[in-house]
């Protein structure tokens, strides 16, 4: 089904993992997609894959912590692709240490990317989104945005929790302005980062903690993004959608 024909999407962090599969899925559904990332070669490779599959895409190097980069990304989507209807704030990274060992610089870096990047995206996209007839923002949080996880990665948990409530806050502010805002909370998803732990006790631990007894695929998250971006979700705003194999149901 091509639910996004004629629309323009921006997907941050789309050089890899969930962002890459999301960009491909949105393009399959008919959207022109602006791929943004700090990884240039891999970002351009995503564009190539989409074009080879018959879709429309462009790339811009974009650090989500930079206000100027956000302005440039919006201008490119607007001028080269024709507008901004869908914003997927997906770019992210994590800290791994416990709180005592986390430096202020590490905390600030994680919060800058995972939390402030989402704030900047919605703030700078606002005038573009309000001009769209089908505006939808999807913020990628995490199961660790509402739970304490393994008791490590304090900045990641704090930032992903902030994304959860920021999403609801902006959803209410824009509720009558035609811009829907929702968050997706992935469980353990087999992306390049986690691939490194395949066949190790960490991988087995993640499988055991997941009621469906497997890790998710990036495509599982992409399908949720496509739903929230489409008119099938026309009455859905402020939602937190868990795609986690049952992790949060325990
Ligand atoms: P990934 O590492 O494969 O992809 C993240 C992308 O973000 C990379 O391409 C990276 O270059 C980009 N990025 C990092 N810093 C950036 C910056 N400052 N500006 C622009 N781009 C930047 O990771 P994955 O797994 O695909 O993660 C995507 C999102 O999903 C992240 O927000 C992550 O926190 C979230 N997530 C992932 C889970 C998983 O199990 N893989 C679970 C829950 C949430």
């Amino acid at each position: 089904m091509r639910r996004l024909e004629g629309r323009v999407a921006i997907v941050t962090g789309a050089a890899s993992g969930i962002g890459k599969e999301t960009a491909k899925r949105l393009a399959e559904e008919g959207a022109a997609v602006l791929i943004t990332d700090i990884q240039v070669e891999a970002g351009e490779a995503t564009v190539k894959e989409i074009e080879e599959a018959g879709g429309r895409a462009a790339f811009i190097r974009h650090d989500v912590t930079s206000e100027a980069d956000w302005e440039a990304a919006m201008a490119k989507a607007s001028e080269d692709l024709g507008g901004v209807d869908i914003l997927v704030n997906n770019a992210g990274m994590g800290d791994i240490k416990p709180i005592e060992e986390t430096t202020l610089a590490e905390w600030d870096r994680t919060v800058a990317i995972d939390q402030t990047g989402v704030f900047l995206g919605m703030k700078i996209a606002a005038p573009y989104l309000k001009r769209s007839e089908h505006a939808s923002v999807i913020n990628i949080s995490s199961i660790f945005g509402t739970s304490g996880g393994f008791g490590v990665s304090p900045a990641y948990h704090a930032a992903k929790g902030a994304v959860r409530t920021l999403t609801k806050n902006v959803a209410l502010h824009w509720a009558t302005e035609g811009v829907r805002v929702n968050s997706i909370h992935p469980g353990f998803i087999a992306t390049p980062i986690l691939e490194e732990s395949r066949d190790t006790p960490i991988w087995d631990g993640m499988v055991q903690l997941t009621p469906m007894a497997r890790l998710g695929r990036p495509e599982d998250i992409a399908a949720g993004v496509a739903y929230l971006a489409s008119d099938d979700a026309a009455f859905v705003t402020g939602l937190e959608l868990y795609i986690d194999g049952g992790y949060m149901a325990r």
Side-chain angles (χ1 to χ4, degrees), residues 200-215:
T200 72
I202 298 171
W203 186 282
D204 295 342
M206 291 187 295
V207 171
Q208 278 162 21
L209 282 167
T210 304
M212 289 181 76
R214 69 167 175 89
L215 265 56

Side-chain angles (χ1 to χ4, degrees), residues 13 15-18 37-39 62-64 90-92 113 140-142 156 160 186-189 191-194:
S16 172
I18 292 169
D37 206 292
I38 47 175
Q39 297 192 65
H62 169 213
D63 181 337
V64 295
N90 164 78
I113 295 170
I140 305 298
S141 177
S142 170
Y156 186 79
K160 292 296 187 182
F188 302 114
I189 309 297
T191 63
I193 289 182
L194 294 191

Side-chain angles (χ1 to χ4, degrees), residues 45-159:
T46 305
V47 172
K48 199 158 173 259
E49 274 188 48
I50 289 174
E51 287 176 344
E52 281 171 2
R56 194 164 161 233
F59 173 78
I60 188 168
R61 189 196 181 280
H62 169 213
D63 181 337
V64 295
T65 67
S66 160
E67 207 164 355
D69 282 7
W70 270 111
E71 295 285 6
M74 291 302 151
K76 187 169 176 76
S78 189
E79 286 156 26
D80 293 4
L81 300 177
V84 179
D85 303 287
I86 300 156
L87 171 62
V88 186
N89 281 308
N90 164 78
M93 50 84 73
D95 55 336
I96 49 164
K97 296 175 188 169
I99 191 162
E100 298 88 336
E101 293 165 26
T102 301
T103 66
L104 180 57
E106 286 164 344
W107 168 276
D108 283 344
R109 181 78 190 134
T110 303
V111 169
I113 295 170
D114 292 354
Q115 178 178 334
T116 311
V118 176
F119 156 73
L120 283 176
M122 289 194 285
K123 177 180 163 63
I124 295 167
Y128 296 86
L129 290 166
K130 287 178 189 180
R131 284 198 287 272
S132 164
E133 298 282 302
H134 306 276
S136 175
V137 177
I138 297 103
N139 295 324
I140 305 298
S141 177
S142 170
I143 48 173
F144 291 166
T146 44
S147 72
F150 303 131
V152 292
S153 314
Y156 186 79
H157 285 71

